[in-house]
Amino acid sequence: MDRRELLASVGLSVCLPLGGCLGDGSGFGSADESSDSDDRPTETTDATDDDETETAAPNPVAERFGCSSAYRPESDVEAGVEHEVEVGDETEVYESVGSTDYPTPPAAFDGDAVETFVAEYEKVYQRNVYLDKHEDRLVEFDPMVEGVERFDFRDPVATVRVDFAVHFAAVSGDSVVMTEPAGEAAVYAVDETGLARTDAEYRGNVEGSVREATPDPLEDGDLLECF
């Protein structure tokens, strides 16, 4: 039985000693549907002539960091590079997965479009991280997005959290090393000027409010790209 049939036979929940439990992503939704409180400070302007206080818009992502500091993992690995591995009395051929391009920004940074963009961006980000380590010896790469959730930390900047797990296989010497996926998470701040990212604790390991445990990339993250 191959790995995908095995996973299918046991369902979508995989519990790991270090990585937490991987579920089916049920219960995810927009932050507007959550009852968790948020103790994050808000930025305000001076009172208006009518003594009404308005929330100040945050600086655009690119301005907050400066485009000269932008960095994201890149790779230039050819797909289809063959590796022959002896398995018992047989020789199996594995092919490298190769590099792929980051997705282009959506036309509008609201609704489902920005959440889909972030999920696809993180897949490529992780792919490049693994390719940087294994190069053309990476022969299987399967990022599994468990859930995507948006928070209203810095409107109109979109703050999007993605929880995921990565299965990969890489040629090592005369064998192929495979790993079971462990839960991870990343949080993005994105607007029409660029996007920033920071790592986060996988939600399966969070005790208490996931919202309160989610870092703000504008405070704790790094700029990946200016648009």
Side-chain angles (χ1 to χ4, degrees):
M1 180 182 296
D2 65 22
R3 184 183 67 81
R4 294 185 183 276
E5 291 174 345
L6 177 61
L7 291 179
S9 68
V10 299
L12 295 178
S13 294
V14 180
C15 292
L16 303 167
L18 298 178
C21 295
L22 304 180
D24 60 1
S26 60
F28 278 56
S30 67
D32 294 338
E33 298 171 357
S34 173
S35 60
D36 292 333
S37 61
D38 184 13
D39 296 328
R40 297 174 185 274
T42 56
E43 301 177 12
T44 58
T45 60
D46 294 333
T48 64
D49 293 339
D50 296 328
D51 292 330
E52 295 179 352
T53 302
E54 299 177 353
T55 301
N59 292 333
V61 173
E63 287 186 14
R64 197 172 188 94
F65 292 92
C67 291
S68 62
S69 67
Y71 172 81
R72 64 183 182 180
E74 304 275 2
S75 63
D76 184 16
V77 177
E78 182 181 355
V81 177
E82 294 185 350
H83 298 270
E84 294 185 354
V85 178
E86 301 294 330
V87 181
D89 297 331
E90 298 181 354
T91 299
E92 295 191 7
V93 177
Y94 294 86
E95 295 184 353
S96 61
V97 299
S99 302
T100 191
D101 295 329
Y102 282 97
T104 57
F109 292 89
D110 55 12
D112 294 339
V114 69
E115 296 176 13
T116 299
F117 169 70
V118 165
E120 294 304 312
Y121 204 101
E122 181 64 19
K123 289 180 183 180
V124 180
Y125 183 100
Q126 291 296 328
R127 188 187 190 106
N128 285 332
V129 168
Y130 281 82
L131 284 170
D132 181 64
K133 180 178 181 179
H134 300 285
E135 300 179 329
D136 65 18
R137 300 184 305 278
L138 186 68
V139 294
E140 185 174 344
F141 180 77
D142 186 13
M144 298 171 287
V145 173
E146 185 176 347
V148 183
E149 189 170 8
R150 180 172 176 173
F151 297 99
D152 56 354
F153 294 164
R154 301 272 189 170
D155 282 344
V157 174
T159 303
V160 181
R161 174 193 177 101
V162 55
D163 287 78
F164 63 94
V166 173
H167 166 83
F168 78 97
V171 174
S172 177
D174 58 356
S175 64
V176 174
V177 177
M178 298 185 180
T179 64
E180 290 299 329
E184 303 178 63
V187 188
Y188 283 74
V190 55
D191 63 11
E192 67 277 3
T193 70
L195 78 164
R197 177 191 182 278
T198 188
D199 293 323
E201 184 78 9
Y202 172 64
R203 67 187 300 117
N205 297 334
V206 173
E207 296 182 3
S209 168
V210 171
R211 178 186 176 90
E212 292 181 3
T214 298
D216 181 357
L218 293 183
E219 295 293 340
D220 306 314
D222 299 300
L223 183 68
L224 300 184
E225 181 183 4
C226 286
F227 302 143

